[in-house]
Amino acid sequence: MKPGGQDPAPPPPGGVLWSVAGDVRALLMLPAALTMQVAHPAVGAGVDEHSVFRTDPWGRGERSVRSVQLWVYGGEAAADEGRRLRQLHKSIRGADAHGRRYHALDPQYYAWVHATGFPCYQHALRYLARPLTDAQERQLYAEWLRVGRILGIHDRDMPQTVEEFWPYYRKMLAEEIEATVVVRELLAPDSPVPAPSLGPLPVRLLLRALWPHLLPPLARFRSFVTVGFMPPDAREAIGLEWSDAQERRLRRFGRVVRVVVPSLPERLRYLPRARAARARYRADR
C-alpha cells in the first residue's frame, strides 16, 4: 500500500475491460500491443538487451498474460503486481539504437508501454467481437487509466481523457515509433522459436518432435494476427505492409471467431484467473 494512502483500485467488475481482458480472444490482441511497445526505440532496446523473449518466449508470454490478468482481476493483488513490475524494471537501462540513454521506468517510455493496450483493444474488437460504442470507448479508457495507476504511472504522465489520448498517440507514432530490431525479429516468419516448454512432459516431447513442421505455419499465423490487429496508423508508422487480400482474410477469420467463441462453455472461453473472478463476483452478488 502507498504510504499514507490506499492502493489504486483495479477496474470495476462488470466493466468493459472486465469483459474483454479475460476472454480468450484477448490472446489474439496481445501480440499487436507488444509489438507496438517494442517499436519505440527505448523500449525495443530494453527488450533486446534484457528480455528472455528469444530463449524463453513461451515462459515470457505466459508471465505477460498472467500479469495482465492480475491488473484486471487480481483485486488487492493487482497493486502488488504493479509494484513487482516496477521493481523488476528498476535495473533496466542502457542506450537505444540512436545512442540515446534510456531507463525503463522513465515516464515517457513506461507510459507508452501501458498506452498501447487501449488502441489495440479498440481496433481488434471490431473484428473479434463488436465495435465499441462511444460510451464504451470512454469507459474502456477510464478503466485503462486505472490500470496505469496500478502500474505506478502518475496521472500527469497519462492523457486523462480519450480526447487527449488520440493526439498523444498520433504524436508518438509520428515522432518516435519505428521498425526496431525487435519488431523485425518478432514478425520475421523464419525467426528461430524453441518448442513450447510448458505443459505435461508427453505433450512437450510430442511438440518437440513435430516442431520443425508446426513452426512455419504458426509463425505465419502469428505475424498475420499481429499486423492485422494492430491499428492501421500504427502499421503505417512502423512501415508494415497490409494488403486488401489480407484484410479480407482477417475479416473472414473474425467472423468465425465471433461465432465460435461466444458459444464455448465458460471454462474454455475465459482464462483461469478471469473465470475464477467472474465466479466470485456472481457468488458475492
Side-chain angles (χ1 to χ4, degrees):
M1 182 179 296
K2 289 182 177 180
Q6 294 183 334
D7 283 330
V16 177
L17 196 53
W18 178 273
S19 301
V20 172
D23 189 298
V24 294
R25 286 172 284 193
L27 298 178
L28 294 168
M29 308 178 201
L30 187 59
L34 294 174
T35 304
M36 286 173 60
Q37 291 168 14
V38 298
H40 191 294
V43 181
V47 170
D48 188 23
E49 296 169 10
H50 299 275
S51 175
V52 296
F53 81 98
R54 295 184 181 93
T55 56
D56 184 24
W58 302 98
R60 183 182 185 275
E62 190 273 336
R63 290 188 293 275
S64 296
V65 171
R66 185 175 64 220
S67 190
V68 173
Q69 298 300 291
L70 279 169
W71 306 343
V72 179
Y73 304 104
E76 294 181 358
D80 291 335
E81 176 64 7
R83 283 188 285 269
R84 185 191 72 82
L85 288 174
R86 289 186 69 83
Q87 184 64 35
L88 182 68
H89 286 81
K90 277 186 176 180
S91 62
I92 298 178
R93 63 181 72 232
D96 68 16
H98 304 286
R100 299 174 300 192
R101 303 298 301 176
Y102 72 84
H103 185 279
L105 293 180
D106 185 305
Q108 63 176 316
Y109 309 143
Y110 205 55
W112 171 250
V113 170
H114 164 255
T116 56
F118 172 69
C120 285
Y121 278 133
Q122 191 252 16
H123 176 66
L125 285 170
R126 299 172 182 172
Y127 297 86
L128 298 174
R130 64 184 62 179
L132 296 172
T133 65
D134 288 345
Q136 288 172 330
E137 183 175 309
R138 290 176 182 277
Q139 183 180 351
L140 175 61
Y141 189 72
E143 293 169 0
W144 202 239
L145 286 178
R146 289 197 182 198
V147 170
R149 296 180 190 118
I150 286 168
L151 296 176
I153 303 172
H154 296 294
D155 281 355
R156 65 176 178 269
D157 296 319
M158 297 184 290
Q160 291 298 291
T161 66
V162 170
E163 289 80 7
E164 293 173 353
F165 175 80
W166 292 117
Y168 155 79
Y169 169 74
R170 288 190 290 269
K171 186 173 187 291
M172 291 295 292
L173 295 184
E175 299 180 2
E176 297 289 346
I177 301 311
E178 61 185 48
T180 62
V181 170
V182 179
V183 167
R184 294 194 295 270
E185 190 169 340
L186 287 176
L187 294 177
D190 56 351
S191 291
V193 178
S197 56
L198 307 172
L201 179 60
V203 173
R204 296 202 307 270
L205 292 175
L206 179 61
L207 286 173
R208 190 178 303 168
L210 297 175
W211 197 238
H213 307 287
L214 295 176
L215 178 57
L218 286 174
R220 289 193 295 271
F221 177 74
R222 178 194 61 187
S223 179
F224 173 69
V225 296
T226 299
V227 180
F229 292 134
M230 186 182 296
D233 48 3
R235 282 186 217 138
E236 183 178 353
I238 299 173
L240 303 176
E241 295 183 357
W242 187 251
S243 67
D244 291 341
Q246 288 173 307
E247 179 66 20
R248 289 192 293 271
R249 285 174 54 205
L250 187 70
R251 292 181 183 276
R252 289 195 297 270
F253 175 69
R255 285 195 292 270
V256 173
V257 172
R258 289 198 303 271
V259 171
V260 171
V261 173
S263 67
L264 295 174
E266 186 161 302
R267 63 186 175 83
L268 297 178
R269 180 177 174 181
Y270 292 98
L271 300 172
R273 188 172 294 276
R275 191 167 64 244
R278 290 169 62 88
R280 288 194 303 270
Y281 179 55
R282 287 195 299 269
D284 291 344
R285 294 182 66 185

